[in-house]
Amino acid sequence: MSETTEGGPGIDDLDARLLLLLTDEPRLGVLECSRRLGVARGTVQARMDRLERRGVLTGFPPAVDLAAMGYGLTAFAVLEIAQGKRGEVAQRLHAIPEVCEVHATTGEGDLLVRMVAQNNADLQRVIDRVVNVEWVRRTSTSIALSTPIPTRVRPLLERAVR
């Protein structure tokens, strides 16, 4: 891993250990982080501030289980859209609460959309909203049966620790 400078790439060993600690226990305060890492409180605060400025540390949102909230069905849709309309389509998809993520992609489709629903009938309602978005030309939807590997960053942080 390259050395970290204010605008430089990568993270160093202390950054990685701090991020691992916060990944495991996101509610830890700066003082407790400094105690566990064996560095000064000011060092931890400066590292967190720098990681935030660089966009590495983007916040501390709570981990929310959408299934426990009643959205037990996850689906992915590949959208083909009118050329040059990615921004407009993304803006309209943003207005659909069940759309959790949208990624611009290469390959057969233009956008990959992760959406949630309460059940199959609700998914049909969500899909109907998606296909009715202006400039969406075609969709192909797949339902996720399980999530063997959920979103994760730990292995990358562990690799960064020397």
Side-chain angles (χ1 to χ4, degrees), residues 49-118:
D49 291 345
R50 190 184 76 238
L51 289 167
E52 286 183 69
R53 278 194 309 274
R54 291 181 53 225
V56 175
L57 183 59
T58 58
F60 297 91
V64 176
D65 184 336
L66 292 174
M69 287 181 50
Y71 294 94
L73 196 150
T74 298
F76 296 89
V78 175
L79 308 185
E80 293 178 18
I81 63 172
Q83 191 168 358
K85 297 297 184 181
R86 183 178 64 225
E88 292 89 338
V89 171
Q91 183 178 16
R92 284 166 174 76
L93 291 171
H94 190 271
I96 301 172
E98 295 85 359
V99 170
C100 298
E101 296 177 62
V102 177
H103 300 270
T105 61
T106 62
E108 293 193 25
D110 302 302
L111 297 174
L112 176 64
V113 178
R114 181 172 72 93
M115 60 187 95
V116 294
Q118 295 175 344

Side-chain angles (χ1 to χ4, degrees), residues 11-75:
I11 59 174
D12 67 14
D13 182 68
L14 182 57
D15 291 337
R17 290 188 300 128
L18 174 59
L19 291 170
L20 276 169
L21 190 58
L22 292 171
T23 297
D24 291 343
E25 299 181 61
R27 297 178 69 167
L28 283 181
V30 173
L31 186 60
E32 182 60 19
C33 287
S34 69
R35 188 186 69 71
R36 291 190 191 185
L37 294 170
V39 299
R41 180 193 174 286
T43 300
V44 170
Q45 187 64 59
R47 293 296 182 116
M48 289 177 66
D49 291 345
R50 190 184 76 238
L51 289 167
E52 286 183 69
R53 278 194 309 274
R54 291 181 53 225
V56 175
L57 183 59
T58 58
F60 297 91
V64 176
D65 184 336
L66 292 174
M69 287 181 50
Y71 294 94
L73 196 150
T74 298

